[in-house]
Amino acid sequence: MSGEPSRTCPNDTTTPADEKVSLITLFVEFLLIGAVSFGGGIVAYEKILLTEKKKWLSQDQFMAALAISQTMPGLNSVNLAILAGDKLRGSLGAFIAMFGLILPGSLFVMIAGYAYKEGQDHPIVNLLLAGIAACATGLLAAITYKLGADLFKQIRPLLIIGATFILMSVLHLSLILVLLIMVPIAIAIYRPRGT
């Protein structure tokens, strides 16, 4: 009836992203992510921000943006920030999100680079770097599990993951070659059957 408020269906893809997000909020949120995360874990922080904390993107929108960001040149986290910023506030939003994300890391790298140059022969420096690498690996493994928890229970995704791992880690094929091999296979496996 025309007098009743409209209701959304469970599969509705509208999100708070449909409401205008302020540029300052966008900058501050991505600045915080850039300041508190490192290594592969940064994608986990972006997922939490975009889909859980602010709910600016739906799970499907986030996964689509992540998939696109992984096929583009550059860092996945930066690509993801650009795509999210563009969806939320257009070109200016893309720039603001990217700038907020990379600013803390850029400052840290400049300071750390200077400190490393001054103390690179000290054994503690190498131990610290090994510890940071281990933390980044753990964070990347955690976000991989969180993103793919449902997929790890299904045979088709496991076959694609296994084949991709073999092509990359065992046969040492380039990323472009792996994509050229695996994308058509994935499309063939997941193509819609006759409707």
Side-chain angles (χ1 to χ4, degrees):
M1 297 172 68
S2 59
E4 293 182 6
S6 62
R7 299 178 185 215
T8 56
C9 64
N11 295 329
D12 191 7
T13 57
T14 58
T15 66
D18 298 327
E19 302 167 11
K20 199 126 180 165
V21 176
S22 79
L23 291 173
I24 293 174
T25 300
L26 192 61
F27 175 76
V28 169
E29 292 295 340
F30 277 95
L31 182 75
L32 290 173
I33 289 175
V36 301
S37 59
F38 62 91
I42 196 167
V43 174
Y45 284 100
E46 287 179 302
K47 180 187 185 303
I48 290 167
L49 168 72
L50 294 169
T51 65
E52 297 171 23
K53 181 181 173 188
K54 294 293 185 179
K55 300 188 187 313
W56 286 335
L57 299 180
S58 68
Q59 292 285 351
D60 288 342
Q61 289 170 331
F62 177 83
M63 293 304 291
L66 180 61
I68 293 168
S69 71
Q70 290 173 332
T71 61
M72 294 165 54
L75 300 173
N76 293 341
S77 56
V78 175
N79 293 340
L80 189 55
I82 291 170
L83 291 169
D86 182 63
K87 172 159 180 51
L88 296 169
R89 287 299 305 265
S91 300
L92 185 56
F95 175 78
I96 291 290
M98 178 209 57
F99 184 67
L101 186 72
I102 66 173
L103 181 61
S106 300
L107 293 174
F108 177 78
V109 165
M110 286 192 295
I111 295 167
Y114 176 77
Y116 181 73
K117 180 182 174 187
E118 295 298 316
Q120 61 184 327
D121 296 327
H122 201 285
I124 295 293
V125 172
N126 292 323
L127 288 174
L128 285 172
L129 291 175
I132 289 171
C135 289
T137 303
L139 286 169
L140 186 58
I143 188 59
T144 300
Y145 177 76
K146 187 170 184 178
L147 289 174
D150 293 336
L151 297 177
F152 294 142
K153 301 170 186 170
Q154 302 172 25
I155 189 69
R156 290 188 300 181
L158 282 176
L159 291 173
I160 292 172
I161 291 168
T164 304
F165 177 81
I166 291 169
L167 293 174
M168 293 283 298
S169 300
V170 178
L171 300 178
H172 303 290
L173 299 181
S174 70
L175 176 61
I176 292 174
L177 194 53
V178 171
L179 287 173
L180 288 173
I181 294 169
M182 293 307 301
V183 167
I185 293 172
I187 289 172
I189 291 173
Y190 284 101
R191 76 179 184 279
R193 307 298 179 203
T195 54

